[in-house]
Amino acid sequence: MPFTFTAAPSSRISKSKPKNISLKRAASSPFGSLPQRKPIQRAQSKPEVVETEQDDLFEDRLDDLGLVASLATDLSLRDVVQSMNYIRSHMFDEIPERSGMNSTRISEVLNFRRFLPPIVTNGHVHALIKSPTLVEREIAQLVSAALLRKITIPGRGIGRSSISDALVLVKDWELLIRDTKSLGSDLIEKYVEQLRATSWTSIISIDALTGDESSILMRAGFLSAPSQSLNSANVFVRPGDDAASGTMTSIASISRAASGSLAAIGGHGAVHGAGGGGANGLRVNRPQPVSLVGGNQQGSYTKRQELQLALPSTGSFLKLLTDARIHLLSLLSKSKYREAPLYLLRERWDGGIGSNEQTRRSFRLGEGFTEVLPGRTRKWKQFYGLRFEWVLEECVGAGLLEVFETGSVGRGVRAV
């Protein structure tokens, strides 16, 4: 029986049906016949900010019952030396057991703390002691007795945020250089002799050391060139602009000095620091005018025959202090009136982790409880575990913040 196949029963072939054009509705626009698509749902460019319950509680200003005169929590602090030792010993928090940092990072943190210079700012001491006059009088007496050195740091900050004066105990300075065995005993004794002989200034004559000795001390960080030399650009700077001229004769430093002391009239080297002279002045060679052949800057004082005593890692300390001040002010600026309770500002500084426990549990919407370790916060990443109280005292002493009693939520902090 023959088998024949035809395409009739196959459903793969279909005939096109004529479309009824008359059933279409006439479009009111020439683009009506074009295919239509659903609109694309685009993501929002900025995420929605979820306000926390704490931010909603302090929309109004805090009650002010009076400023706090002293931030000292230790009642045994009575003089400048005790306050300086307290400030240095309470600068950093201890590294918690569960910090979230590996051994390499922990080593970096400990080495950074170890090599910081024994410097304390003048404003920090004022934040712990109530009487500013007694503090300045005691500082003047300690400087005259060669037990304390007051150093000037020009060019760090602007206005009230500038770090103008700092204090260093002479015994700490000597201990630091004696621990540097690579300098040699003879050079160390020579440096200590210059340190004790010039207790009222950090400038020494270039003839006091040889060229090789000066180079060795500069590489070790115990000696540096003057911060800024007197040249034709700053001869006509207005009096008191110590940030521009680099001298200790400034209105800010004189106004804080004790009445009747030498610092109240500019110090021992006020005339020489401003470029003057005299037969009975300091034994520092005056700068000689240098003529630049082929140039137009004749008479500019560019070569100064003097050197300046310094401490190693001072730049690291100043950078840490400046960045910590800026960060604390930025945390306070998140509040509406630039004021917040003290406990809330402390939590912000710690990164939202409580200070009583090593780690806290923070609840995130949709994710449940996740563990937040201290090593992941900015306090440990950038500031090496710097304590909140230490930074607060620095800002209060510099005149950037005020601490006041609220009567309801404890102490409050306000930006000035």
Side-chain angles (χ1 to χ4, degrees):
M1 180 177 180
F3 295 93
T4 58
F5 296 92
T6 60
S10 177
S11 61
R12 295 180 182 178
I13 300 176
S14 60
K15 296 182 180 180
S16 60
K17 297 181 180 179
K19 297 180 180 180
N20 191 0
I21 303 177
S22 61
L23 295 178
K24 287 188 176 182
R25 181 181 299 177
S28 59
S29 173
F31 302 99
S33 59
L34 297 178
Q36 299 180 358
R37 293 182 298 178
K38 294 183 179 180
I40 301 176
Q41 296 181 357
R42 300 182 181 276
Q44 296 180 355
S45 58
K46 295 182 180 180
E48 296 181 359
V49 179
V50 180
E51 297 182 356
T52 59
E53 185 179 356
Q54 292 179 343
D55 295 336
D56 296 334
L57 292 176
F58 302 102
E59 291 183 354
D60 299 333
R61 289 185 177 274
L62 299 175
D63 296 333
D64 189 357
L65 301 182
L67 297 177
V68 178
S70 175
L71 298 181
T73 57
D74 190 355
L75 300 179
S76 63
L77 299 178
R78 297 180 180 179
D79 55 10
V80 175
V81 177
Q82 289 181 355
S83 301
M84 293 178 62
N85 294 330
Y86 175 83
I87 291 170
R88 292 186 53 202
S89 60
H90 292 76
M91 186 174 180
F92 296 99
D93 283 333
E94 296 183 358
I95 299 178
E97 295 182 0
R98 299 187 60 189
S99 60
M101 299 181 290
N102 54 17
S103 59
T104 303
R105 177 56 183 171
I106 293 177
S107 177
E108 292 177 358
V109 171
L110 295 178
N111 288 331
F112 179 84
R113 297 180 178 182
R114 176 187 175 188
F115 292 109
L116 284 180
I119 296 178
V120 176
T121 59
N122 194 11
H124 202 150
V125 178
H126 281 276
L128 299 181
I129 302 179
K130 296 181 179 180
S131 178
T133 305
L134 293 179
V135 171
E136 291 297 334
R137 185 177 288 114
E138 185 178 356
I139 290 175
Q141 293 175 357
L142 292 175
V143 171
S144 300
L147 299 177
L148 184 70
R149 295 189 67 93
K150 189 174 183 179
I151 58 178
T152 303
I153 307 174
R156 283 285 179 170
I158 300 174
R160 292 176 301 175
S161 62
S162 61
I163 309 172
S164 57
D165 298 329
L167 306 174
V168 184
L169 293 176
V170 176
K171 64 175 183 179
D172 294 337
W173 201 322
E174 293 183 5
L175 182 61
L176 185 61
I177 191 172
R178 292 186 186 278
D179 290 340
T180 310
K181 304 299 182 181
S182 60
L183 298 179
S185 59
D186 296 337
L187 183 56
I188 290 176
E189 295 299 330
K190 199 171 184 179
Y191 184 88
V192 172
E193 181 181 356
Q194 292 294 326
L195 185 64
R196 295 175 178 176
T198 57
S199 60
W200 33 264
T201 180
S202 298
I203 303 297
I204 63 173
S205 175
I206 198 173
D207 299 331
L209 301 170
T210 63
D212 295 338
E213 291 173 346
S214 301
S215 301
I216 294 174
L217 290 173
M218 281 186 177
R219 286 194 295 267
F222 290 98
L223 204 64
S224 64
S227 58
Q228 188 173 357
S229 59
L230 180 64
N231 50 40
S232 60
N234 56 14
V235 169
F236 302 101
V237 173
R238 62 182 176 87
D241 194 355
D242 57 342
S245 59
T247 64
M248 295 183 64
T249 311
S250 62
I251 296 176
S253 60
I254 291 176
S255 62
R256 292 192 298 266
S259 178
S261 62
L262 288 174
I265 59 174
H268 290 268
V271 178
H272 289 269
N280 297 326
L282 303 178
R283 292 181 297 175
V284 178
N285 296 331
R286 294 188 59 192
Q288 301 296 329
V290 179
S291 299
L292 301 179
V293 180
N296 55 359
Q297 297 181 358
Q298 285 190 346
S300 61
Y301 295 94
T302 56
K303 292 186 177 180
R304 297 179 68 92
Q305 303 297 322
E306 58 189 19
L307 296 172
Q308 186 173 6
L309 301 176
L311 285 170
S313 303
T314 303
S316 301
F317 172 80
L318 297 178
K319 185 178 184 303
L320 176 68
L321 175 57
T322 305
D323 294 344
R325 285 182 178 182
I326 295 174
H327 181 55
L328 187 62
L329 291 176
S330 65
L331 294 178
L332 191 60
S333 63
K334 294 180 179 180
S335 301
K336 185 176 181 180
Y337 298 102
R338 299 185 66 189
E339 62 181 17
L342 184 62
Y343 76 90
L344 179 59
L345 189 60
R346 181 187 290 109
E347 289 182 1
R348 292 177 180 176
W349 174 266
D350 294 336
I353 301 176
S355 58
N356 296 329
E357 298 181 4
Q358 298 175 359
T359 57
R360 288 284 188 181
R361 299 282 182 176
S362 64
F363 183 74
R364 298 180 180 178
L365 296 177
E367 297 181 3
F369 288 94
T370 57
E371 188 175 11
V372 179
L373 298 175
R376 299 178 180 271
T377 60
R378 192 172 182 179
K379 172 183 175 180
W380 290 92
K381 284 184 177 181
Q382 182 179 357
F383 302 115
Y384 301 92
L386 198 62
R387 294 180 69 245
F388 165 75
E389 290 78 9
W390 191 92
V391 185
L392 180 65
E393 294 166 359
E394 276 287 345
C395 294
V396 172
L400 302 175
L401 298 178
E402 290 180 349
V403 180
F404 57 95
E405 295 288 349
T406 62
S408 57
V409 291
R411 291 182 175 182
V413 184
R414 179 195 303 118
V416 179

